[in-house]
Amino acid sequence: MPDLLVMTLILAGGVAGSWALRRAWRAKAADKPRWRALGWTTIIVTLLWPAWVMGSVRGPFIGVTLLSVAAMVVVAAGVQVRAARAGRTGNGSLAPEPVERPTTRWRTTLRWLLAGPIGMITAMAVGICYAVWVPGEPQTRLIIGALIVPAVWGGAMAWTLADARILRATAVLVGTALAGFGISILKGFT
């Protein structure tokens, strides 16, 4: 059987199975089991039979790939674009945009310090604490501790710039830096 024909049948089976499951989702309670059984049976058959036709490795791989494409086509076919609701403003947002926050010169300076040098010092404290307290070879601990620093610094920057309560961010970052360096000093690097 030619590969193109097999792939076309896999796509058709994927579309049919996905459509049946979508129909089960929207059906009344009495019709749900019938559509659900039809959908799952079609999908399972569509995944299994290519193994006999195309090979035990290649067939299921192509089946899973094309089945997901077919399911995405079924989902995309039902997309409805709705008009935006009128009268909604950005003030009701859970996370206000930075330009919507009240800002002063000291808040801007503190935010800059927290995202930059204070966040870096906090990240270094976490990396050093990891290198000191985690068991293992010293070289491995140092490298992993060094790799932790940019990730924590990036997280500190993102959180500082996104959080509207700047004093909370200050307390957490300074407290984490003091705790990290303090715990590291207790043991020392051995």
Side-chain angles (χ1 to χ4, degrees):
M1 189 177 275
D3 288 347
L4 188 59
L5 177 63
V6 173
M7 289 190 274
T8 304
L9 292 174
I10 292 171
L11 279 172
V15 167
S18 302
W19 179 79
L21 288 175
R22 184 177 182 154
R23 179 99 188 239
W25 181 274
R26 294 180 174 181
K28 295 179 182 176
D31 293 335
K32 281 184 188 266
R34 181 177 49 138
W35 286 109
R36 195 177 300 137
L38 177 66
W40 282 116
T41 304
T42 306
I43 287 176
I44 290 170
V45 168
T46 302
L47 287 175
L48 293 179
W49 75 267
W52 285 284
V53 178
M54 300 178 93
S56 62
V57 175
R58 189 169 166 241
F61 173 76
I62 291 174
V64 167
T65 304
L66 292 178
L67 182 71
S68 61
V69 170
M72 186 61 79
V73 166
V74 169
V75 170
V79 169
Q80 296 176 356
V81 179
R82 297 179 183 170
R85 293 182 184 172
R88 184 166 181 174
T89 62
N91 296 338
S93 170
L94 293 177
E97 292 296 322
V99 291
E100 296 176 3
R101 281 190 229 144
T103 183
T104 60
R105 187 175 298 268
W106 77 269
R107 280 179 177 262
T108 304
T109 304
L110 184 58
R111 200 172 296 280
W112 179 84
L113 287 171
L114 287 173
I118 296 173
M120 179 191 61
I121 292 169
T122 301
M124 288 174 53
V126 171
I128 291 171
C129 187
Y130 178 89
V132 167
W133 281 95
V134 171
E137 293 296 320
Q139 297 86 355
T140 305
R141 296 185 333 219
L142 284 172
I143 289 175
I144 294 174
L147 291 174
I148 287 173
V149 172
V152 172
W153 190 9
M157 278 186 202
W159 177 47
T160 300
L161 296 174
D163 195 2
R165 295 187 175 145
I166 193 71
L167 294 178
R168 174 176 57 191
T170 304
V172 169
L173 289 178
V174 170
T176 302
L178 290 174
F181 284 127
I183 292 171
S184 299
I185 290 171
L186 287 177
K187 183 176 181 198
F189 189 78
T190 54

